[in-house]
Amino acid sequence: MNEYDSNRILDLTKKINYFVTTNVKEANCYVLNTCHIREKATDKVYHDIGRLKKEFRNKKKPIVLIVGCVAQAEGDILLKKEKYIDAVIGPQSYHQINDIIEKLEKKKDPLNFTEFEVIEKFDNLNPIKNSDNKISSFLTIQEGCDKFCKFCVVPYTRGPEYSRTIKELVTEVKHLIKNGAKEINLLGQNVNAYNFEGKKLSDLILEISKIKELKRIRYTTSHPRDFTDDLIEAHKNCDKLMPFIHLPVQSGSNKILKAMNRKHSVEEYLEIIKKLNELKLNIKFSSDFIIGYPGETRHDFNKTIELMTKVKFINSFSFIFSGRPGTPAFDLDKVDEKEAKNRLIEFQKIAETIKGNYRKKLINKNAKILFENKMKSGNRYFGRDEYFNPVIVESKINLTGMIKNVKILKGTQNTLFGEIVPNVDQTNYAA
Ligand code: SF4
């Protein structure tokens, strides 16, 4: 979502003649868009400012703006501790960036813009054309979260759940398609909590799928609690919707899920997967896991391994629990550090074996690849299969924007390599 936000910030600042430069030393204004999910997010801001100070030693400093969730969560501290920062702007206030820059050009005091003004934000952004011109484009449809998992900062940094109107989203999809997009990745912190006047994510998907030039639709990130039957049905009814779902579970232990306030059980999670599998669309899943959450015993951890082995996630993101300041889990007693580290290593080994075995099964199979760009070296093109696996193919003709049948020849843990198969219209990917 930060990528989407950063692009929109650029669209906004063009209006006051601020354009992107690849040479930092030339910048009149430096915008650092931050994420608060990982540990030491604030330290990273200070490091970055340190680097910037070196670049601008003996020169007039640029206007320095810290945007995003770190600004939201720790804006006052940042302004107090680092005088080089001119303003902090929360993720729901960046539509005011031009006014802020113009104020700062007149040398006002440091500014703090961290109100939740999400409706106003999109009202301001909607008339400004989205200039993103990627083959696969992001589109924020929903922001914020009302779930309050105990480890998560999102409800405090992005505010309550808010959904954009179907009308404005269809307009933005059409803009992105005019710019060249063939695939739209619908974004939201709780994307499947999307609800605009009773219209749900499934309605939005079916609506945008009517746009002929749009070839693929994805959505992320879903919450199991909001994975309702209409969304499952949408997978059946919309062949533009890709058969790959990122569905964070965090733990395989009901005790830990309860402690996290996740609002779903392992059984409920598995029921969603069962229903999706019953569609016989060969849907695959990826997930997020927190290892060593406070109170996690070896028994709880074994349950997480059990879930991983059962579902066979084709991709996963796993981290040791680290408390985020301001969240209820911050002060809880931690699992012994060494033990948590060992569990993470054990878990990731299993996850990588599952992924590796899955990837092996793809060799010599055909896949439909949407090509996104030519790579820097050689006549190589980068694309993704329906399951979001990265695939590289050599080609003398420009493949950008095309969907081609590709035979997968080999693969590493992260990338697949293949060749174009002419006149084949079927994929036969591993079940
Ligand atoms: S549902 Fe997701 S965004 Fe919301 S609090 Fe939980 S982890 Fe954070």
Side-chain angles (χ1 to χ4, degrees), residues 56 88 215:
F56 283 86
V88 289
K215 303 295 178 202

Side-chain angles (χ1 to χ4, degrees), residues 19 40 51 64 97 107 150 152 182 195 208 211 220 225 248 250 262 265 268 272 274-275 284 292 347 372 400 431:
F19 301 95
K40 300 196 176 95
R51 272 201 298 273
V64 177
I97 195 161
K107 294 201 190 318
K150 293 207 170 159
C152 183
K182 301 273 189 248
N195 191 326
I208 63 169
I211 304 171
T220 197
R225 179 84 183 247
Q250 309 298 0
R262 281 290 293 170
S265 65
E268 284 162 343
I272 298 164
K274 186 172 157 245
K275 283 183 184 173
K284 304 277 181 207
F347 179 82
E372 296 182 18
T400 309

Side-chain angles (χ1 to χ4, degrees), residues 145 147-149 151-152 154-155 190 223 262:
C145 181
K147 307 277 189 308
F148 290 91
C149 298
F151 53 82
C152 183
V154 166
N190 260 244
H223 191 283
R262 281 290 293 170

Side-chain angles (χ1 to χ4, degrees), residues 37 144-156 161 188-190 221-224 226 248 250 260-262 288 290:
I37 294 287
C145 181
D146 300 337
K147 307 277 189 308
F148 290 91
C149 298
K150 293 207 170 159
F151 53 82
C152 183
V153 290
V154 166
Y156 312 100
E161 285 173 5
Q189 270 89 34
N190 260 244
T221 296
S222 303
H223 191 283
D226 295 314
Q250 309 298 0
M260 288 173 168
N261 192 31
R262 281 290 293 170
D288 296 338
I290 296 175

Side-chain angles (χ1 to χ4, degrees), residues 218-398:
R218 302 181 188 274
Y219 57 90
T220 197
T221 296
S222 303
H223 191 283
R225 179 84 183 247
D226 295 314
F227 220 104
T228 43
D229 287 347
D230 56 294
L231 184 54
I232 294 172
E233 280 285 301
H235 277 271
K236 193 171 83 187
N237 298 331
C238 176
D239 49 11
K240 292 184 181 178
L241 194 52
M242 291 296 99
F244 173 65
I245 300 167
H246 182 64
L247 190 58
V249 64
Q250 309 298 0
S251 170
S253 155
N254 280 335
K255 184 192 100 188
I256 296 299
L257 290 178
K258 197 154 185 242
M260 288 173 168
N261 192 31
R262 281 290 293 170
K263 299 183 167 71
H264 64 83
S265 65
V266 176
E267 291 72 25
E268 284 162 343
Y269 184 89
L270 288 172
E271 184 60 23
I272 298 164
I273 295 207
K274 186 172 157 245
K275 283 183 184 173
L276 285 158
N277 283 339
E278 279 168 3
L279 299 177
K280 301 211 179 308
L281 295 170
N282 198 16
I283 294 175
K284 304 277 181 207
F285 302 90
S286 67
S287 197
D288 296 338
F289 295 86
I290 296 175
I291 306 295
Y293 189 78
E296 183 194 82
T297 60
R298 178 76 219 185
H299 177 71
D300 297 316
F301 173 64
N302 286 344
K303 294 260 174 200
T304 303
I305 292 183
E306 216 175 274
L307 183 68
M308 169 48 101
T309 331
K310 187 168 186 167
V311 179
K312 293 195 171 48
F313 295 96
I314 65 166
N315 214 351
S316 61
F317 303 89
S318 49
F319 303 92
I320 294 177
F321 169 77
S322 88
R324 304 262 58 87
T327 60
F330 182 66
D331 289 325
L332 297 177
D333 287 342
K334 313 258 180 314
V335 170
D336 174 71
E337 209 183 313
K338 201 168 157 220
E339 173 64 21
K341 229 181 214 169
N342 287 339
R343 285 181 198 169
L344 183 72
I345 293 168
E346 188 180 335
F347 179 82
Q348 290 186 337
K349 220 170 151 185
I350 295 166
E352 284 301 296
T353 306
I354 290 170
K355 183 175 166 181
N357 289 340
Y358 159 72
R359 291 263 167 115
K360 267 185 221 149
K361 285 193 201 160
L362 305 182
I363 310 294
N364 292 324
K365 299 276 175 14
N366 294 334
K368 275 200 169 78
I369 310 299
L370 169 60
F371 287 96
E372 296 182 18
N373 56 277
K374 186 170 189 278
M375 298 184 74
K376 276 185 190 143
S377 63
N379 285 325
R380 303 195 311 157
Y381 286 83
F382 172 88
R384 289 188 188 270
D385 68 9
E386 293 170 316
Y387 297 93
F388 211 60
N389 294 310
V391 180
I392 294 174
V393 163
E394 292 236 2
S395 167
K396 286 201 174 103
I397 60 159
N398 183 358

